[in-house]
Every structure is written in C-alpha cells, then in structure tokens.
Amino acid sequence: MSKVEFKMPKLGESITEAAIITWFKSVGDTIEEDEMLLEVATDKVDSEVPSNVSGVIEEILFDANEVIKIGETIAIIKADGDVAVSKKQSKKEDQKPEQRKTERSKAPKRPKLDPVASSEQFSVSNSNTFFSPLIIKMAKEHHISFEELARIPATGHEGRLRKSDVFQYIEEGRPYKFAQPVAQQDPTAYRIPQLSFDKGKGKVIEMDRMRQMIADHMVYSKHTSPHVTAYVEADLTNMVNWRNANKKAFQEKYGERLTFTPLFVEAVAKAVKDFPNINASVDGNTIIVKEDINIGMATALPSGNLIVPVVKNADTKDLKALAENVNELANKARENNLKADDIQGSTFTISNVGTFGSVMGTPIINQPEVAILALGIIKKRPEVITIEKGDEIAIRSMMYLSLSFDHRVVDGFLGGSFVRRVADYFEQFDVDRKI
C-alpha cells in the first residue's frame, strides 16, 4: 500500500504560494499520471497542475480559494488503486442525516452585508480587532484597509476573522469599501453619495477572475498614485525606413520576425539608464530605485483581457536577443501559455496603444511602478523639416508618446525629460545600422 503526498509544485523562481481555483477530481476518484488534478492561480496566471502518479484520490487537504505555500502537501493519492477516504469525510458519511443537519445548524452564520448600514455597523471599534498574519497578507493583496477589515462580519472563534469570511466579503463586492464611521466623519469632508443608478436592460456578463483582478488593480493604482501625463511627438521616419529595409534579412539571418516592439524596448531601456529614478517604486515614505531594468509590455490576450509579460534585463540585450524575447512572450500570450515568471519583476511598462489605431493614450500606472509609457500609432503626415537649404515640407512617419507618472515621486522635470529622451532615441535611429 503506497500513499503519495501530492505537494503544491514549484510554479516559478519567485513564486512562494498559490491559490487553489478548483479541483478536477474528488475523493475516491481515480487519476492517471499526467492527468490534470487541479487548477491554481498565482497573480494573473492560472495554471493546471497534473498528477505525478496514477492511483486513487484518498484525501484532499485544502478547499478552493485557499492560499497554499509551495511544497506544502495538498492531497494524498493511493498509488495502488485502493479506494480510501479522509477521516473527516468518513466521519461525515457515518453520521445519520439528522446529525449532519444539526451539525450544519450549529455552524456560524454570516450576517447579510448592507452597504447602507447604521453607524454602529460601520464602527471600527468593535470586537473584530485581531487579525492573523494570513488575514493581513490577504488584505494587502486585495488592498483592504484595517478599517474595512474591521467591518467584515466574522464567524471565527471569539469573533475572529477567518479567511473564508474575507473571501466571501470580496465575492459580495466589498460593500463596506467606501464606508466611513459616522463618529469620525469631518462635516466638511467629501462623502460618497448613496446614489441609485438606472443600470438599464441588456445582456449580463459575469467578469472572469482575471478581469476582476485587472479592475481591482486599476482602481487601486488610480487611488494610490496621483497620475500626471506628459506628451511629446517623435519623428520615426529613420526607424521605420531601416526596419522596412532590414526585416526580411533579419528574419533570414536570425529566424525571428523584426517588429517595432524590440526597437521600442531597446530605446526605452537606454532612456531608463539615463534617468534611473524613473525605474523605481514607492514603499511608504521611501523610494526604491531598481537595479535591474525589466520592461513590461502590456499585451492583449485572446479573451480580451490584459497581461504584462516582462523582458528581463532589457538594457543588457542586443537587438537579436530582444527580438527573440519579445516574440517568445507575444506567442505565449496569444496561446495562453505564459508562466508566472514571465509576468514577474517588471520595473517599467510600455503600452503600444498604436497597435489598435489609437493616436495616443493616457495609461494607468502598473503598480508598484512609478511611470508607464504609451506609444501611439505611427502615422505618415506632412511636416516642416529643416535641411541645409532651409525649411521644407516632407512626408514623415510621426508618433505621439505619452508618459503617465506618479506625481508623489516623479516631478514634471523628470517625467518630461525622460519621455523627451525616449523620443530623441527614436528620432536619432542610425539608418546605417547593421543587423
């Protein structure tokens, strides 16, 4: 009789834990080696995890939505094929229906959440003041303040908050998110009005998990960082002409498509080296200037959602390596094959809104970064240029660049100088460059 402890597998170098989304098998089910056992989530990437043995599921130790550390045992599989069940389940099966009903009735009940509640319900000075390290970690991940935590109805022992309470509260839409204790309200302060909007009629579409995370991340970013946007215009004629003349030879020599993206990443990485304070994050009252230059690329998925794969150490790679890296990440994104490590560690992000025909954009900062650059469409138009003979009108390939930056730590001089430097690198592209 061989029992195998199935552990949460390693999902990436920087990943220390994962949340269980769903189990594909139940206790007592048979499973084959390499058959999918469960689906887990790390940040934005969902991964299906296969079994490493064939046998029968004897015990499942964690439920969906629980956060598990890498390497922790999450299931027991009987490799000889004998059917066995966990003690907890056996005990429940041995009970009579009346016993099970009574046991369920004794379980703590959660009060229904009402966002328009009394001042007593919104008071933070209640008995729900002890939070375990796990609850605090969950709160940080979902950007829930201590005041909001204190308002969540708790079903644990002595009024303590359980992780299931937090998960259910999040699923219910966080109705206390903007509530303020009446006793602490400043009569001159702004209060969110209780408005009843006509939502109209139409097709109701539930947000998938990734869309909910994107929405939460975007709202958090706008709430956290005072966004300011600086705009410049760049003449990309030299870059466009060089790329058009060399893209066929580049693919024949290296076996890689030469898109504009690696050229953009190359120029942005050079500008980041010139202005290292743009390559930073904020931690309370301190600024962390990052040593590595990792360029995130905002990328649309087939589902319509957004993800940011990362070109690591972009400043150390030549054009061939950048093209390989960019193409690999783009292909993985299109095929939904991005791994956790592919989207970790970004220090500065670019968003090529011109891909969809946009002239320019005002992107939202990818937290915890302090700036994001949007690249508009490359459009031919007549421009006045200066040559030896004087001014003349010529057809040029032009682009608008817009940099959204966190005004807590990036002022107008740094933000404007940086985006201008990126535009300079675009305009000063060497037309005689060898591939």
Side-chain angles (χ1 to χ4, degrees):
M1 184 180 296
S2 174
K3 292 186 180 181
V4 177
E5 293 186 353
F6 185 85
K7 301 178 186 296
M8 180 65 77
K10 187 175 181 180
L11 300 166
E13 291 182 6
S14 58
I15 305 302
T16 59
E17 61 185 17
I20 296 173
I21 299 176
T22 185
W23 288 95
F24 298 130
K25 296 289 184 178
S26 303
V27 172
D29 289 349
T30 58
I31 189 167
E32 300 295 327
E33 186 176 358
D34 294 330
E35 187 179 359
M36 294 303 165
L37 176 58
L38 75 161
E39 185 178 15
V40 300
T42 60
D43 195 8
K44 291 183 180 179
V45 174
D46 297 346
S47 305
E48 293 183 345
V49 179
S51 173
N52 54 0
V53 295
S54 298
V56 176
I57 309 299
E58 182 181 65
E59 193 169 0
I60 291 177
L61 304 178
F62 295 97
D63 297 325
N65 291 329
E66 292 198 69
V67 180
I68 316 299
K69 291 189 178 298
I70 301 302
E72 188 169 352
T73 300
I74 57 176
I76 305 296
I77 301 176
K78 227 176 180 185
D80 63 354
D82 293 338
V83 176
V85 295
S86 67
K87 293 180 181 179
K88 185 186 292 186
Q89 180 162 330
S90 297
K91 184 178 179 181
K92 287 187 177 181
E93 290 176 351
D94 291 340
Q95 290 177 333
K96 294 180 181 179
E98 295 81 5
Q99 289 176 304
R100 290 198 293 269
K101 184 176 181 181
T102 303
E103 187 178 280
R104 285 195 299 271
S105 66
K106 291 179 181 178
K109 293 183 179 179
R110 174 189 299 277
K112 185 177 180 182
L113 300 181
D114 182 6
V116 187
S118 65
S119 60
E120 291 81 13
Q121 197 171 5
F122 282 163
S123 174
V124 298
S125 57
N126 55 29
S127 59
N128 183 22
T129 56
F130 173 81
F131 304 121
S132 68
L134 175 60
I135 295 298
I136 294 174
K137 186 175 187 301
M138 291 173 63
K140 287 182 178 179
E141 290 174 350
H142 293 278
H143 318 303
I144 300 175
S145 68
F146 281 101
E147 288 190 352
E148 188 178 355
L149 276 180
R151 300 182 187 114
I152 301 174
T155 62
H157 180 62
E158 296 181 350
R160 290 188 177 183
L161 201 61
R162 304 163 64 196
K163 58 185 175 184
S164 57
D165 299 330
V166 180
F167 276 125
Q168 183 166 338
Y169 173 72
I170 293 170
E171 289 175 1
E172 290 169 346
R174 294 175 61 182
Y176 295 161
K177 184 172 184 178
F178 297 110
Q180 299 175 4
V182 172
Q184 297 180 12
Q185 287 180 346
D186 181 347
T188 64
Y190 172 78
R191 298 179 184 83
I192 295 178
Q194 298 296 335
L195 301 177
S196 178
F197 294 105
D198 180 9
K199 298 179 181 179
K201 297 179 180 179
K203 182 180 178 182
V204 177
I205 302 174
E206 293 289 336
M207 286 188 183
D208 59 24
R209 177 180 168 278
M210 183 178 287
R211 176 52 55 186
Q212 292 178 40
M213 293 181 69
I214 292 171
D216 186 55
H217 192 65
M218 295 298 98
V219 171
Y220 172 70
S221 183
K222 292 292 286 187
H223 174 76
T224 301
S225 300
H227 282 56
V228 177
T229 306
Y231 303 87
V232 299
E233 191 176 22
D235 185 342
L236 271 67
T237 304
N238 288 347
M239 181 186 288
V240 170
N241 291 342
W242 181 88
R243 184 252 177 184
N244 289 340
N246 288 277
K247 60 183 181 180
K248 184 177 179 180
F250 189 91
Q251 183 160 10
E252 290 175 352
K253 183 174 182 178
Y254 300 117
E256 294 289 343
R257 291 176 60 245
L258 180 60
T259 64
F260 282 107
T261 303
L263 298 173
F264 295 157
V265 171
E266 181 183 55
V268 169
K270 289 169 65 177
V272 169
K273 289 191 75 172
D274 295 341
F275 296 93
N277 286 346
I278 208 78
N279 195 52
S281 63
V282 180
D283 183 14
N285 293 324
T286 61
I287 302 171
I288 304 172
V289 179
K290 306 297 179 65
E291 295 178 352
D292 296 329
I293 298 177
N294 300 331
I295 306 298
M297 309 181 303
T299 305
L301 293 171
S303 63
N305 288 323
L306 184 72
I307 202 163
V308 184
V310 182
V311 179
K312 306 286 179 63
N313 302 116
D315 58 314
T316 66
K317 297 177 178 178
D318 59 16
L319 186 59
K320 172 181 175 292
L322 287 174
E324 290 174 348
N325 206 171
V326 166
N327 291 339
E328 179 187 14
L329 292 171
N331 290 334
K332 283 185 175 182
R334 281 192 291 268
E335 298 167 3
N336 286 319
N337 285 332
L338 285 170
K339 303 301 181 184
D341 274 351
D342 294 329
I343 61 168
Q344 298 290 331
S346 174
T347 61
F348 184 89
T349 298
I350 62 174
S351 179
N352 191 356
V353 299
T355 302
F356 312 108
S358 296
V359 175
M360 65 176 69
T362 54
I364 297 176
I365 296 168
N366 183 23
Q367 296 293 330
E369 297 164 23
V370 297
I372 181 172
L373 179 68
L375 305 170
I377 190 173
I378 301 174
K379 193 173 183 64
K380 288 184 178 181
R381 64 171 183 265
E383 290 289 321
V384 176
I385 62 173
T386 301
I387 59 175
E388 292 181 0
K389 298 179 181 179
D391 293 339
E392 70 174 21
I393 297 175
I395 302 300
R396 309 295 291 179
S397 295
M398 306 297 294
M399 172 195 278
Y400 287 109
L401 291 77
S402 49
L403 180 79
S404 293
F405 55 89
D406 187 338
H407 214 342
R408 293 177 301 170
V409 294
V410 179
D411 56 22
F413 174 77
L414 174 58
S417 299
F418 172 79
V419 69
R420 182 63 255 174
R421 184 63 55 85
V422 175
D424 289 342
Y425 282 132
F426 284 179
E427 293 183 343
Q428 296 165 8
F429 192 89
D430 183 7
V431 293
D432 297 321
R433 179 176 180 174
K434 305 298 180 182
I435 59 172

